[in-house]
Structure formats: C-alpha cells, structure tokens
Amino acid sequence: MENPLLLFPQLNISASKDKSYYKVMKSTIKEESHKASKLGAKQKRNRLSLLLQKPEFHEADHLGKPGNLTKAASVSPEEAVKWGESFDKLLSEKAGLDAFTKFLKTEFSEENIEFWVACEDYKKSKTVHELLPKAKTIYETFIQKDAPKEVNLDFKTKEVTSQNIQQPIISTFDAAQNTVYRLMEQDSYPRFLRSDPYLNLVKGRNPSRPTLRRRSRSFTVNDFQGVRPDFTIW
C-alpha cells in the first residue's frame, strides 16, 4: 500500500503549516502575557507613587516631630493656661504630663520626670511582693552610681535611699522623689512656661502646623511692561 502522504502531499504541507502556526501563536500569547504582567506592575507602582505624593498621606508625620507638645487640637488654650497655675496642676493632667515630658526631652533631662513617674507607680503597689522588684528596678535605673538614667541627688539623700532599699517600704523613695520634684519645679517648669510650643498652645495655635502668611504686594505700571494681552481668553 502506498504512503497516503505521497498520494496526497497537500496533507503533509497543511500539517506542517498548522504546527508552525501553533508555535507562533503560543509564543505570541506568552509574550503578550509577559507584557501585560509588566504593565500591571508598572501601573501599581504609579498608583503607589501618586498615593505617597498626596498631602494627607503624610499628615500624621508632622504630629511626632520634636518640639510638638501635643497632637493637633488635643489641648484647648483654656486647659493649657491652667498648667501655668502650678506645677502640681501640670503633672495632675495626662496631657500636661506628656507635654512636659516632651519638653524635658528637648533639654535632655527626661530622666527626672521618668523617675518621678516611676515613684508614683511604686507607691501604688499593694503587696511587699510588688515592692521588691519595683524598688530594685528604680534603684538600678535612676539612683545607683553610673545608673543609665541617674538623677541628680545630694549625697545625704542618696545615702538614705541606698540604706532604705535594703528593706523597701512605700516611703523608700520619698526623699529622692521630693528632691527631683523641687528641682523640676524651680528649674525646668519656669522654662517650660516660657517655651514657644507652650505659648503657642495658650494662644490657640497648632504647634505642628505653623500659620503661613502670604505677603501682599501692590502692582505698578512697571509690572506690566512688555506683557502682551492674550485675547484668546475672551
């Protein structure tokens, strides 16, 4: 029996063309799919780039910058004025305590308020088992020689506190806490009340968004010399 491909050579040619056609189509589809994938990734990057350029995306960045005492619109001028009545009033309110802490960080003396806060927490302890670990932590952090956040205490106060730490009680750190309190009240607190961020709060200004003033200017004849009118706008 003769080979049918020899009898009908057109069948062989047709089959060969079909194979070549499918190879080309497969390659074309693969290439188009790759292009579409790259285009989709590029579009995603473009959308992300546009998002990062929007002002509202960066709005929160201004709130945490050094020098800002509080978040925008979180403290009223009336409340800020009350902080100036007494140091006790300032520390008794959370917003005031936070604002004063941020101010001390700008002066690199935040260890004083951190020690005071730690002592307040220590005095809230209800059992001896709570006092022992807290007392050790406070002493090692703020009082012992070369402590990481050593506060400025006179020799007598430091000696008394070091002796009391052997058997800690609620009043163990009272002398040291009172010393640091007076130091902040007489030294740091007056400077806080004179600081620009605090004065801005009292005046109702947002410390994170300074007011921008546009300078006004009168036009003169010279400003229009050499300028040709554009009649296309009419």
Side-chain angles (χ1 to χ4, degrees):
M1 183 178 179
E2 295 185 12
N3 191 337
L5 296 179
L6 297 176
L7 295 175
F8 304 98
Q10 64 273 20
L11 294 177
N12 189 25
I13 295 173
S14 177
S16 178
K17 288 182 178 180
D18 288 343
K19 289 182 180 179
S20 299
Y21 173 77
Y22 285 122
K23 285 183 179 180
V24 172
M25 287 299 296
K26 185 176 180 180
S27 176
T28 302
I29 293 173
K30 186 176 181 181
E31 183 178 354
E32 290 297 329
S33 176
H34 181 66
K35 288 182 179 179
S37 178
K38 291 179 64 177
L39 180 60
K42 184 176 181 180
Q43 289 176 341
K44 288 181 180 179
R45 289 195 298 268
N46 290 339
R47 286 197 295 267
L48 178 59
S49 178
L50 290 174
L51 176 62
L52 294 175
Q53 292 175 11
K54 290 184 177 181
E56 59 269 21
F57 187 86
H58 301 279
E59 184 174 358
D61 294 345
H62 300 283
L63 302 180
K65 289 185 177 180
N68 296 344
L69 294 184
T70 54
K71 290 184 178 180
S74 62
V75 177
S76 66
E78 292 76 16
E79 183 179 2
V81 169
K82 291 181 180 179
W83 297 349
E85 295 177 359
S86 69
F87 192 44
D88 282 334
K89 183 67 176 178
L90 173 68
L91 299 185
S92 65
E93 298 184 8
K94 185 180 183 306
L97 177 61
D98 291 343
F100 186 63
T101 300
K102 290 180 180 180
F103 171 75
L104 290 185
K105 287 182 178 180
T106 65
E107 295 196 334
F108 304 99
S109 59
E110 65 271 19
E111 70 277 358
N112 291 325
I113 193 64
E114 290 177 2
F115 171 69
W116 183 87
V117 170
C119 291
E120 289 295 294
D121 176 73
Y122 173 82
K123 289 187 290 187
K124 295 177 182 177
S125 302
K126 298 179 180 179
T127 65
V128 176
H129 296 291
E130 291 182 36
L131 290 177
L132 290 174
K134 286 184 178 180
K136 182 180 179 181
T137 299
I138 292 175
Y139 181 78
E140 293 178 351
T141 304
F142 299 101
I143 296 178
Q144 73 177 10
K145 185 179 180 180
D146 297 326
K149 297 183 178 182
E150 186 177 2
V151 293
N152 187 13
L153 298 174
D154 59 90
F155 177 79
K156 181 178 180 180
T157 301
K158 197 166 188 174
E159 281 297 307
V160 171
T161 305
S162 298
Q163 293 174 4
N164 292 342
I165 199 68
Q166 303 303 322
Q167 294 182 339
I169 57 177
I170 291 294
S171 59
T172 293
F173 298 102
D174 281 1
Q177 185 183 16
N178 290 336
T179 298
V180 172
Y181 178 92
R182 288 194 300 271
L183 176 64
M184 292 189 295
E185 183 182 31
Q186 298 173 6
D187 185 48
S188 303
Y189 177 56
R191 287 200 303 275
F192 168 76
L193 297 181
R194 295 193 300 266
S195 67
D196 288 339
Y198 172 72
L199 294 177
N200 285 336
L201 288 178
V202 172
K203 297 175 182 178
R205 297 175 183 171
N206 187 341
S208 65
R209 296 180 183 177
T211 303
L212 297 178
R213 295 183 179 180
R214 182 176 297 176
R215 186 174 62 179
S216 61
R217 174 172 171 267
S218 299
F219 289 103
T220 64
V221 176
N222 293 331
D223 294 324
F224 295 96
Q225 288 183 355
V227 178
R228 297 182 179 180
D230 185 1
F231 295 102
T232 60
I233 64 175
W234 297 98

